[in-house]
Amino acid sequence: ILNVEQSPQSLHVQEGDSTNFTCSFPSSNFYALHWYRWETAKSPEALFVMTLNGDEKKKGRISATLNTKEGYSYLYIKGSQPEDSATYLCAFENWQAGTALIFGKGTTLSVSS
Amino acid sequence: ETGVTQSPTHLIKTRGQQVTLRCSSQSGHNTVSWYQQALGQGPQFIFQYYREEENGRGNFPPRFSGLQFPNYSSELNVNALELDDSALYLCASSPTGTGPPEAFFGQGTRLTVV
């Protein structure tokens, strides 16, 4: 069974704090790792798609790294803002599962002003 | 927003009934995937359609079925509804091309089975 684990399940930070989350996935037959941001009552928004070991991607204050050999990815948010409050999902693709995205349960971030 | 629209947004059905959920994919996308998100879980892959053919299926029983139309819109049908089918159903469309496609999600249909 292919399993994706995300930690922490939830966290609460103050505006201006920097934070990071972890996504762990099986390293065999790796194809791609996706990060999504999902705000309440909206559709999940794609943040990054990463394919290569050592990949680093950045979008504004959000960045992500990928280690396919050990099976983990980190998502970093620098200087958190209240509008960053959302659930962050990671999803894994591998050659065995075909084109399905295998999601973790997400990390719910709450940022207080 | 992503350009992927789902209807209806909310639905209440009785156990044993049948339901059809609809998804309009983003323009230019010929692949549609459906996911079920139960309370406290991440989205679970149901199946995918590519050019009107099923192109992969997750661990869901045959009473979950789908269609994709020539305009690439899609339907998810669930027969003999069970209480555990209560969930948020997400549709995602994606283009085909080189590399892993980026999936664009709709806002989902919240199905409650009573």
Side-chain angles (χ1 to χ4, degrees), chain A residues 53-102:
Chain A
N53 185 44
D55 252 356
E56 291 188 27
K57 297 255 178 146
K58 187 174 181 182
K59 183 185 286 190
R61 294 178 292 98
I62 304 177
S63 60
T65 61
L66 178 67
N67 183 322
T68 61
K69 294 187 187 304
E70 296 182 40
Y72 65 84
S73 175
Y74 294 135
L75 187 79
Y76 300 92
I77 302 179
K78 185 177 178 182
S80 301
Q81 300 296 309
E83 58 265 31
D84 296 328
S85 298
T87 295
Y88 292 82
L89 290 167
C90 75
F92 158 75
E93 281 185 87
N94 81 351
W95 295 103
Q96 179 184 352
T99 52
L101 291 176
I102 301 165

mmCIF file of all heavy atoms in Angstrom, chain A residues 53-102:
data_model
loop_
_atom_site.group_PDB
_atom_site.id
_atom_site.type_symbol
_atom_site.label_atom_id
_atom_site.label_comp_id
_atom_site.label_asym_id
_atom_site.label_seq_id
_atom_site.Cartn_x
_atom_site.Cartn_y
_atom_site.Cartn_z
ATOM 1 N N ASN A 53 15.409 14.651 -7.739
ATOM 2 C CA ASN A 53 16.018 14.671 -6.417
ATOM 3 C C ASN A 53 16.837 15.945 -6.260
ATOM 4 O O ASN A 53 17.612 16.307 -7.150
ATOM 5 C CB ASN A 53 16.926 13.455 -6.242
ATOM 6 C CG ASN A 53 17.490 13.375 -4.844
ATOM 7 O OD1 ASN A 53 16.770 13.569 -3.866
ATOM 8 N ND2 ASN A 53 18.776 13.087 -4.748
ATOM 9 N N GLY A 54 16.642 16.640 -5.151
ATOM 10 C CA GLY A 54 17.359 17.883 -4.921
ATOM 11 C C GLY A 54 16.644 19.111 -5.455
ATOM 12 O O GLY A 54 17.105 20.235 -5.247
ATOM 13 N N ASP A 55 15.507 18.910 -6.153
ATOM 14 C CA ASP A 55 14.713 20.040 -6.648
ATOM 15 C C ASP A 55 14.405 21.005 -5.510
ATOM 16 O O ASP A 55 14.105 20.598 -4.399
ATOM 17 C CB ASP A 55 13.368 19.535 -7.188
ATOM 18 C CG ASP A 55 13.288 19.594 -8.702
ATOM 19 O OD1 ASP A 55 14.239 20.084 -9.329
ATOM 20 O OD2 ASP A 55 12.255 19.148 -9.236
ATOM 21 N N GLU A 56 14.484 22.302 -5.830
ATOM 22 C CA GLU A 56 13.995 23.332 -4.929
ATOM 23 C C GLU A 56 13.138 24.269 -5.768
ATOM 24 O O GLU A 56 13.565 24.697 -6.833
ATOM 25 C CB GLU A 56 15.145 24.112 -4.288
ATOM 26 C CG GLU A 56 15.961 23.302 -3.313
ATOM 27 C CD GLU A 56 16.968 24.145 -2.546
ATOM 28 O OE1 GLU A 56 16.736 25.348 -2.352
ATOM 29 O OE2 GLU A 56 18.008 23.593 -2.140
ATOM 30 N N LYS A 57 11.932 24.571 -5.263
ATOM 31 C CA LYS A 57 11.048 25.480 -5.993
ATOM 32 C C LYS A 57 10.638 26.591 -5.043
ATOM 33 O O LYS A 57 10.551 26.388 -3.836
ATOM 34 C CB LYS A 57 9.799 24.729 -6.483
ATOM 35 C CG LYS A 57 10.111 23.610 -7.466
ATOM 36 C CD LYS A 57 9.768 23.993 -8.851
ATOM 37 C CE LYS A 57 10.147 22.880 -9.813
ATOM 38 N NZ LYS A 57 9.235 22.763 -10.934
ATOM 39 N N LYS A 58 10.358 27.765 -5.630
ATOM 40 C CA LYS A 58 9.988 28.904 -4.806
ATOM 41 C C LYS A 58 8.895 29.694 -5.494
ATOM 42 O O LYS A 58 8.932 29.906 -6.716
ATOM 43 C CB LYS A 58 11.209 29.797 -4.556
ATOM 44 C CG LYS A 58 10.956 30.916 -3.575
ATOM 45 C CD LYS A 58 12.247 31.670 -3.257
ATOM 46 C CE LYS A 58 11.963 32.776 -2.244
ATOM 47 N NZ LYS A 58 13.154 33.565 -1.920
ATOM 48 N N LYS A 59 7.927 30.137 -4.684
ATOM 49 C CA LYS A 59 6.863 31.012 -5.175
ATOM 50 C C LYS A 59 6.598 32.031 -4.081
ATOM 51 O O LYS A 59 5.959 31.744 -3.082
ATOM 52 C CB LYS A 59 5.606 30.193 -5.488
ATOM 53 C CG LYS A 59 4.464 30.995 -6.077
ATOM 54 C CD LYS A 59 3.195 30.147 -6.252
ATOM 55 C CE LYS A 59 3.323 29.184 -7.406
ATOM 56 N NZ LYS A 59 2.027 28.526 -7.723
ATOM 57 N N GLY A 60 7.155 33.218 -4.262
ATOM 58 C CA GLY A 60 6.990 34.259 -3.242
ATOM 59 C C GLY A 60 7.666 33.841 -1.947
ATOM 60 O O GLY A 60 8.861 33.540 -1.928
ATOM 61 N N ARG A 61 6.888 33.795 -0.863
ATOM 62 C CA ARG A 61 7.434 33.443 0.455
ATOM 63 C C ARG A 61 7.405 31.929 0.698
ATOM 64 O O ARG A 61 7.824 31.479 1.766
ATOM 65 C CB ARG A 61 6.629 34.150 1.535
ATOM 66 C CG ARG A 61 6.761 35.675 1.506
ATOM 67 C CD ARG A 61 5.904 36.349 2.574
ATOM 68 N NE ARG A 61 4.480 36.203 2.304
ATOM 69 C CZ ARG A 61 3.703 35.307 2.854
ATOM 70 N NH1 ARG A 61 4.195 34.430 3.733
ATOM 71 N NH2 ARG A 61 2.418 35.259 2.559
ATOM 72 N N ILE A 62 6.901 31.180 -0.254
ATOM 73 C CA ILE A 62 6.769 29.730 -0.077
ATOM 74 C C ILE A 62 7.816 29.023 -0.928
ATOM 75 O O ILE A 62 8.013 29.377 -2.097
ATOM 76 C CB ILE A 62 5.368 29.244 -0.472
ATOM 77 C CG1 ILE A 62 4.302 30.006 0.324
ATOM 78 C CG2 ILE A 62 5.228 27.741 -0.237
ATOM 79 C CD1 ILE A 62 2.884 29.648 -0.051
ATOM 80 N N SER A 63 8.464 28.042 -0.340
ATOM 81 C CA SER A 63 9.440 27.254 -1.088
ATOM 82 C C SER A 63 9.311 25.795 -0.684
ATOM 83 O O SER A 63 8.712 25.462 0.349
ATOM 84 C CB SER A 63 10.868 27.755 -0.842
ATOM 85 O OG SER A 63 11.190 27.669 0.542
ATOM 86 N N ALA A 64 9.844 24.920 -1.521
ATOM 87 C CA ALA A 64 9.774 23.485 -1.253
ATOM 88 C C ALA A 64 11.050 22.817 -1.722
ATOM 89 O O ALA A 64 11.692 23.266 -2.675
ATOM 90 C CB ALA A 64 8.562 22.868 -1.942
ATOM 91 N N THR A 65 11.417 21.747 -1.024
ATOM 92 C CA THR A 65 12.578 20.940 -1.403
ATOM 93 C C THR A 65 12.146 19.492 -1.533
ATOM 94 O O THR A 65 11.109 19.082 -1.003
ATOM 95 C CB THR A 65 13.700 21.049 -0.355
ATOM 96 O OG1 THR A 65 13.203 20.567 0.905
ATOM 97 C CG2 THR A 65 14.178 22.483 -0.194
ATOM 98 N N LEU A 66 12.949 18.723 -2.246
ATOM 99 C CA LEU A 66 12.599 17.336 -2.520
ATOM 100 C C LEU A 66 13.809 16.433 -2.359
ATOM 101 O O LEU A 66 14.877 16.726 -2.903
ATOM 102 C CB LEU A 66 12.058 17.208 -3.950
ATOM 103 C CG LEU A 66 11.680 15.809 -4.422
ATOM 104 C CD1 LEU A 66 10.485 15.291 -3.641
ATOM 105 C CD2 LEU A 66 11.380 15.821 -5.915
ATOM 106 N N ASN A 67 13.620 15.328 -1.638
ATOM 107 C CA ASN A 67 14.642 14.292 -1.513
ATOM 108 C C ASN A 67 13.981 12.974 -1.889
ATOM 109 O O ASN A 67 13.228 12.385 -1.101
ATOM 110 C CB ASN A 67 15.184 14.237 -0.076
ATOM 111 C CG ASN A 67 16.299 13.221 0.085
ATOM 112 O OD1 ASN A 67 16.262 12.142 -0.505
ATOM 113 N ND2 ASN A 67 17.292 13.560 0.894
ATOM 114 N N THR A 68 14.214 12.519 -3.109
ATOM 115 C CA THR A 68 13.549 11.298 -3.576
ATOM 116 C C THR A 68 14.242 10.037 -3.060
ATOM 117 O O THR A 68 13.614 8.980 -2.997
ATOM 118 C CB THR A 68 13.516 11.246 -5.112
ATOM 119 O OG1 THR A 68 14.863 11.248 -5.599
ATOM 120 C CG2 THR A 68 12.769 12.433 -5.680
ATOM 121 N N LYS A 69 15.514 10.148 -2.705
ATOM 122 C CA LYS A 69 16.243 8.951 -2.243
ATOM 123 C C LYS A 69 15.751 8.504 -0.872
ATOM 124 O O LYS A 69 15.611 7.309 -0.605
ATOM 125 C CB LYS A 69 17.738 9.235 -2.204
ATOM 126 C CG LYS A 69 18.345 9.483 -3.569
ATOM 127 C CD LYS A 69 19.856 9.592 -3.496
ATOM 128 C CE LYS A 69 20.463 9.999 -4.826
ATOM 129 N NZ LYS A 69 20.089 9.112 -5.924
ATOM 130 N N GLU A 70 15.456 9.489 -0.014
ATOM 131 C CA GLU A 70 14.972 9.151 1.323
ATOM 132 C C GLU A 70 13.464 9.327 1.443
ATOM 133 O O GLU A 70 12.881 8.986 2.460
ATOM 134 C CB GLU A 70 15.702 9.991 2.364
ATOM 135 C CG GLU A 70 17.193 9.695 2.408
ATOM 136 C CD GLU A 70 17.908 10.500 3.482
ATOM 137 O OE1 GLU A 70 17.362 10.659 4.580
ATOM 138 O OE2 GLU A 70 19.018 10.981 3.204
ATOM 139 N N GLY A 71 12.823 9.864 0.420
ATOM 140 C CA GLY A 71 11.364 9.923 0.388
ATOM 141 C C GLY A 71 10.761 11.005 1.266
ATOM 142 O O GLY A 71 9.868 10.722 2.077
ATOM 143 N N TYR A 72 11.232 12.246 1.115
ATOM 144 C CA TYR A 72 10.570 13.330 1.847
ATOM 145 C C TYR A 72 10.677 14.639 1.076
ATOM 146 O O TYR A 72 11.551 14.833 0.233
ATOM 147 C CB TYR A 72 11.123 13.491 3.266
ATOM 148 C CG TYR A 72 12.564 13.910 3.366
ATOM 149 C CD1 TYR A 72 12.921 15.256 3.281
ATOM 150 C CD2 TYR A 72 13.578 12.971 3.545
ATOM 151 C CE1 TYR A 72 14.245 15.638 3.368
ATOM 152 C CE2 TYR A 72 14.901 13.347 3.636
ATOM 153 C CZ TYR A 72 15.225 14.681 3.544
ATOM 154 O OH TYR A 72 16.540 15.054 3.632
ATOM 155 N N SER A 73 9.746 15.534 1.413
ATOM 156 C CA SER A 73 9.728 16.890 0.874
ATOM 157 C C SER A 73 9.371 17.829 2.011
ATOM 158 O O SER A 73 8.561 17.491 2.879
ATOM 159 C CB SER A 73 8.701 17.005 -0.250
ATOM 160 O OG SER A 73 8.585 18.334 -0.706
ATOM 161 N N TYR A 74 9.994 19.011 2.001
ATOM 162 C CA TYR A 74 9.672 20.040 2.976
ATOM 163 C C TYR A 74 9.032 21.220 2.265
ATOM 164 O O TYR A 74 9.440 21.598 1.167
ATOM 165 C CB TYR A 74 10.928 20.542 3.689
ATOM 166 C CG TYR A 74 11.627 19.535 4.567
ATOM 167 C CD1 TYR A 74 13.010 19.407 4.525
ATOM 168 C CD2 TYR A 74 10.917 18.738 5.447
ATOM 169 C CE1 TYR A 74 13.676 18.498 5.338
ATOM 170 C CE2 TYR A 74 11.568 17.817 6.258
ATOM 171 C CZ TYR A 74 12.939 17.700 6.196
ATOM 172 O OH TYR A 74 13.584 16.796 7.005
ATOM 173 N N LEU A 75 8.025 21.798 2.910
ATOM 174 C CA LEU A 75 7.433 23.058 2.444
ATOM 175 C C LEU A 75 7.731 24.109 3.495
ATOM 176 O O LEU A 75 7.477 23.886 4.679
ATOM 177 C CB LEU A 75 5.917 22.911 2.259
ATOM 178 C CG LEU A 75 5.235 24.110 1.624
ATOM 179 C CD1 LEU A 75 5.460 24.098 0.111
ATOM 180 C CD2 LEU A 75 3.749 24.140 1.919
ATOM 181 N N TYR A 76 8.290 25.233 3.050
ATOM 182 C CA TYR A 76 8.657 26.316 3.964
ATOM 183 C C TYR A 76 7.813 27.546 3.657
ATOM 184 O O TYR A 76 7.593 27.873 2.492
ATOM 185 C CB TYR A 76 10.124 26.705 3.774
ATOM 186 C CG TYR A 76 11.114 25.602 4.016
ATOM 187 C CD1 TYR A 76 11.544 24.793 2.975
ATOM 188 C CD2 TYR A 76 11.653 25.387 5.283
ATOM 189 C CE1 TYR A 76 12.473 23.785 3.188
ATOM 190 C CE2 TYR A 76 12.586 24.387 5.507
ATOM 191 C CZ TYR A 76 12.985 23.587 4.452
ATOM 192 O OH TYR A 76 13.905 22.585 4.669
ATOM 193 N N ILE A 77 7.354 28.215 4.686
ATOM 194 C CA ILE A 77 6.699 29.508 4.532
ATOM 195 C C ILE A 77 7.474 30.508 5.382
ATOM 196 O O ILE A 77 7.595 30.343 6.602
ATOM 197 C CB ILE A 77 5.216 29.464 4.959
ATOM 198 C CG1 ILE A 77 4.464 28.407 4.144
ATOM 199 C CG2 ILE A 77 4.578 30.841 4.764
ATOM 200 C CD1 ILE A 77 2.994 28.280 4.509
ATOM 201 N N LYS A 78 7.974 31.540 4.717
ATOM 202 C CA LYS A 78 8.765 32.562 5.391
ATOM 203 C C LYS A 78 7.866 33.737 5.743
ATOM 204 O O LYS A 78 7.114 34.217 4.889
ATOM 205 C CB LYS A 78 9.898 33.014 4.473
ATOM 206 C CG LYS A 78 10.871 33.991 5.083
ATOM 207 C CD LYS A 78 11.986 34.299 4.089
ATOM 208 C CE LYS A 78 12.954 35.320 4.668
ATOM 209 N NZ LYS A 78 14.020 35.664 3.690
ATOM 210 N N GLY A 79 7.932 34.206 6.998
ATOM 211 C CA GLY A 79 7.135 35.369 7.382
ATOM 212 C C GLY A 79 5.645 35.151 7.162
ATOM 213 O O GLY A 79 5.009 35.875 6.392
ATOM 214 N N SER A 80 5.073 34.160 7.839
ATOM 215 C CA SER A 80 3.671 33.784 7.635
ATOM 216 C C SER A 80 2.722 34.972 7.787
ATOM 217 O O SER A 80 2.914 35.834 8.660
ATOM 218 C CB SER A 80 3.275 32.701 8.650
ATOM 219 O OG SER A 80 4.091 31.570 8.516
ATOM 220 N N GLN A 81 1.710 35.005 6.933
ATOM 221 C CA GLN A 81 0.670 36.021 6.954
ATOM 222 C C GLN A 81 -0.680 35.344 7.183
ATOM 223 O O GLN A 81 -0.835 34.155 6.844
ATOM 224 C CB GLN A 81 0.656 36.784 5.643
ATOM 225 C CG GLN A 81 1.959 37.512 5.327
ATOM 226 C CD GLN A 81 2.260 38.596 6.339
ATOM 227 O OE1 GLN A 81 1.410 39.445 6.623
ATOM 228 N NE2 GLN A 81 3.460 38.573 6.900
ATOM 229 N N PRO A 82 -1.668 36.079 7.704
ATOM 230 C CA PRO A 82 -2.989 35.459 7.917
ATOM 231 C C PRO A 82 -3.560 34.814 6.656
ATOM 232 O O PRO A 82 -4.231 33.780 6.740
ATOM 233 C CB PRO A 82 -3.840 36.629 8.399
ATOM 234 C CG PRO A 82 -2.871 37.532 9.091
ATOM 235 C CD PRO A 82 -1.604 37.429 8.281
ATOM 236 N N GLU A 83 -3.258 35.382 5.499
ATOM 237 C CA GLU A 83 -3.782 34.804 4.253
ATOM 238 C C GLU A 83 -3.123 33.475 3.881
ATOM 239 O O GLU A 83 -3.556 32.803 2.942
ATOM 240 C CB GLU A 83 -3.642 35.786 3.082
ATOM 241 C CG GLU A 83 -2.237 36.261 2.798
ATOM 242 C CD GLU A 83 -1.900 37.587 3.478
ATOM 243 O OE1 GLU A 83 -2.450 37.864 4.568
ATOM 244 O OE2 GLU A 83 -1.071 38.323 2.899
ATOM 245 N N ASP A 84 -2.070 33.093 4.609
ATOM 246 C CA ASP A 84 -1.455 31.782 4.403
ATOM 247 C C ASP A 84 -2.231 30.676 5.112
ATOM 248 O O ASP A 84 -1.946 29.488 4.921
ATOM 249 C CB ASP A 84 -0.011 31.765 4.917
ATOM 250 C CG ASP A 84 0.906 32.702 4.158
ATOM 251 O OD1 ASP A 84 0.683 32.912 2.941
ATOM 252 O OD2 ASP A 84 1.836 33.253 4.788
ATOM 253 N N SER A 85 -3.194 31.063 5.932
ATOM 254 C CA SER A 85 -3.993 30.062 6.651
ATOM 255 C C SER A 85 -4.733 29.194 5.648
ATOM 256 O O SER A 85 -5.520 29.691 4.824
ATOM 257 C CB SER A 85 -4.990 30.755 7.581
ATOM 258 O OG SER A 85 -4.324 31.513 8.563
ATOM 259 N N ALA A 86 -4.484 27.903 5.714
ATOM 260 C CA ALA A 86 -5.045 26.948 4.751
ATOM 261 C C ALA A 86 -4.581 25.557 5.142
ATOM 262 O O ALA A 86 -3.764 25.391 6.055
ATOM 263 C CB ALA A 86 -4.572 27.265 3.339
ATOM 264 N N THR A 87 -5.092 24.575 4.425
ATOM 265 C CA THR A 87 -4.553 23.210 4.545
ATOM 266 C C THR A 87 -3.595 22.983 3.385
ATOM 267 O O THR A 87 -3.925 23.276 2.235
ATOM 268 C CB THR A 87 -5.677 22.171 4.531
ATOM 269 O OG1 THR A 87 -6.487 22.356 5.697
ATOM 270 C CG2 THR A 87 -5.122 20.760 4.517
ATOM 271 N N TYR A 88 -2.425 22.473 3.693
ATOM 272 C CA TYR A 88 -1.407 22.214 2.682
ATOM 273 C C TYR A 88 -1.319 20.711 2.474
ATOM 274 O O TYR A 88 -1.027 19.947 3.399
ATOM 275 C CB TYR A 88 -0.071 22.813 3.121
ATOM 276 C CG TYR A 88 -0.110 24.317 3.118
ATOM 277 C CD1 TYR A 88 -0.658 25.023 4.191
ATOM 278 C CD2 TYR A 88 0.329 25.052 2.023
ATOM 279 C CE1 TYR A 88 -0.746 26.417 4.172
ATOM 280 C CE2 TYR A 88 0.253 26.441 2.005
ATOM 281 C CZ TYR A 88 -0.299 27.098 3.079
ATOM 282 O OH TYR A 88 -0.390 28.472 3.053
ATOM 283 N N LEU A 89 -1.594 20.321 1.246
ATOM 284 C CA LEU A 89 -1.613 18.899 0.891
ATOM 285 C C LEU A 89 -0.408 18.563 0.030
ATOM 286 O O LEU A 89 -0.064 19.334 -0.876
ATOM 287 C CB LEU A 89 -2.870 18.560 0.081
ATOM 288 C CG LEU A 89 -4.216 18.574 0.783
ATOM 289 C CD1 LEU A 89 -5.337 18.526 -0.254
ATOM 290 C CD2 LEU A 89 -4.341 17.388 1.717
ATOM 291 N N CYS A 90 0.190 17.423 0.288
ATOM 292 C CA CYS A 90 1.161 16.919 -0.671
ATOM 293 C C CYS A 90 0.585 15.662 -1.315
ATOM 294 O O CYS A 90 -0.237 14.951 -0.726
ATOM 295 C CB CYS A 90 2.533 16.650 -0.054
ATOM 296 S SG CYS A 90 2.660 15.187 0.951
ATOM 297 N N ALA A 91 0.980 15.422 -2.542
ATOM 298 C CA ALA A 91 0.487 14.271 -3.304
ATOM 299 C C ALA A 91 1.648 13.703 -4.110
ATOM 300 O O ALA A 91 2.452 14.443 -4.677
ATOM 301 C CB ALA A 91 -0.655 14.682 -4.222
ATOM 302 N N PHE A 92 1.694 12.419 -4.172
ATOM 303 C CA PHE A 92 2.811 11.673 -4.708
ATOM 304 C C PHE A 92 2.332 10.887 -5.923
ATOM 305 O O PHE A 92 1.197 10.404 -5.956
ATOM 306 C CB PHE A 92 3.272 10.765 -3.571
ATOM 307 C CG PHE A 92 4.042 9.549 -3.934
ATOM 308 C CD1 PHE A 92 5.357 9.651 -4.321
ATOM 309 C CD2 PHE A 92 3.480 8.300 -3.831
ATOM 310 C CE1 PHE A 92 6.092 8.536 -4.622
ATOM 311 C CE2 PHE A 92 4.204 7.172 -4.139
ATOM 312 C CZ PHE A 92 5.506 7.278 -4.525
ATOM 313 N N GLU A 93 3.179 10.850 -6.940
ATOM 314 C CA GLU A 93 2.910 10.011 -8.101
ATOM 315 C C GLU A 93 4.052 9.028 -8.238
ATOM 316 O O GLU A 93 5.218 9.429 -8.116
ATOM 317 C CB GLU A 93 2.885 10.856 -9.380
ATOM 318 C CG GLU A 93 1.620 11.639 -9.634
ATOM 319 C CD GLU A 93 1.692 12.328 -10.988
ATOM 320 O OE1 GLU A 93 1.323 11.677 -11.982
ATOM 321 O OE2 GLU A 93 2.116 13.491 -11.060
ATOM 322 N N ASN A 94 3.710 7.764 -8.542
ATOM 323 C CA ASN A 94 4.808 6.872 -8.887
ATOM 324 C C ASN A 94 4.388 6.008 -10.062
ATOM 325 O O ASN A 94 3.237 5.996 -10.476
ATOM 326 C CB ASN A 94 5.281 6.053 -7.675
ATOM 327 C CG ASN A 94 4.419 4.844 -7.388
ATOM 328 O OD1 ASN A 94 3.353 4.646 -7.952
ATOM 329 N ND2 ASN A 94 4.895 4.011 -6.476
ATOM 330 N N TRP A 95 5.351 5.324 -10.643
ATOM 331 C CA TRP A 95 5.110 4.558 -11.850
ATOM 332 C C TRP A 95 4.166 3.385 -11.589
ATOM 333 O O TRP A 95 3.435 2.957 -12.469
ATOM 334 C CB TRP A 95 6.441 4.052 -12.411
ATOM 335 C CG TRP A 95 7.319 5.165 -12.849
ATOM 336 C CD1 TRP A 95 8.406 5.673 -12.194
ATOM 337 C CD2 TRP A 95 7.173 5.955 -14.033
ATOM 338 N NE1 TRP A 95 8.943 6.723 -12.893
ATOM 339 C CE2 TRP A 95 8.216 6.913 -14.021
ATOM 340 C CE3 TRP A 95 6.269 5.942 -15.107
ATOM 341 C CZ2 TRP A 95 8.374 7.849 -15.042
ATOM 342 C CZ3 TRP A 95 6.426 6.868 -16.114
ATOM 343 C CH2 TRP A 95 7.471 7.808 -16.079
ATOM 344 N N GLN A 96 4.174 2.883 -10.361
ATOM 345 C CA GLN A 96 3.320 1.741 -10.018
ATOM 346 C C GLN A 96 1.851 2.142 -10.008
ATOM 347 O O GLN A 96 0.982 1.398 -10.445
ATOM 348 C CB GLN A 96 3.739 1.208 -8.643
ATOM 349 C CG GLN A 96 2.911 0.036 -8.136
ATOM 350 C CD GLN A 96 3.328 -0.372 -6.728
ATOM 351 O OE1 GLN A 96 4.323 0.120 -6.185
ATOM 352 N NE2 GLN A 96 2.576 -1.252 -6.119
ATOM 353 N N ALA A 97 1.574 3.348 -9.496
ATOM 354 C CA ALA A 97 0.182 3.785 -9.340
ATOM 355 C C ALA A 97 -0.343 4.462 -10.605
ATOM 356 O O ALA A 97 -1.484 4.891 -10.640
ATOM 357 C CB ALA A 97 0.055 4.722 -8.147
ATOM 358 N N GLY A 98 0.487 4.580 -11.620
ATOM 359 C CA GLY A 98 0.024 5.215 -12.851
ATOM 360 C C GLY A 98 -0.159 6.700 -12.653
ATOM 361 O O GLY A 98 0.688 7.365 -12.074
ATOM 362 N N THR A 99 -1.299 7.202 -13.092
ATOM 363 C CA THR A 99 -1.496 8.646 -13.099
ATOM 364 C C THR A 99 -2.242 9.157 -11.875
ATOM 365 O O THR A 99 -2.598 10.317 -11.812
ATOM 366 C CB THR A 99 -2.280 9.042 -14.355
ATOM 367 O OG1 THR A 99 -3.463 8.224 -14.409
ATOM 368 C CG2 THR A 99 -1.454 8.811 -15.603
ATOM 369 N N ALA A 100 -2.484 8.304 -10.891
ATOM 370 C CA ALA A 100 -3.213 8.730 -9.701
ATOM 371 C C ALA A 100 -2.327 9.585 -8.810
ATOM 372 O O ALA A 100 -1.126 9.329 -8.676
ATOM 373 C CB ALA A 100 -3.672 7.511 -8.915
ATOM 374 N N LEU A 101 -2.907 10.605 -8.201
ATOM 375 C CA LEU A 101 -2.235 11.359 -7.142
ATOM 376 C C LEU A 101 -2.585 10.673 -5.824
ATOM 377 O O LEU A 101 -3.752 10.444 -5.529
ATOM 378 C CB LEU A 101 -2.722 12.807 -7.115
ATOM 379 C CG LEU A 101 -2.317 13.683 -8.295
ATOM 380 C CD1 LEU A 101 -2.960 15.064 -8.172
ATOM 381 C CD2 LEU A 101 -0.808 13.818 -8.378
ATOM 382 N N ILE A 102 -1.579 10.367 -5.027
ATOM 383 C CA ILE A 102 -1.791 9.753 -3.714
ATOM 384 C C ILE A 102 -1.525 10.831 -2.686
ATOM 385 O O ILE A 102 -0.385 11.295 -2.540
ATOM 386 C CB ILE A 102 -0.871 8.547 -3.524
ATOM 387 C CG1 ILE A 102 -1.149 7.526 -4.627
ATOM 388 C CG2 ILE A 102 -1.075 7.918 -2.146
ATOM 389 C CD1 ILE A 102 -0.090 6.476 -4.769
#
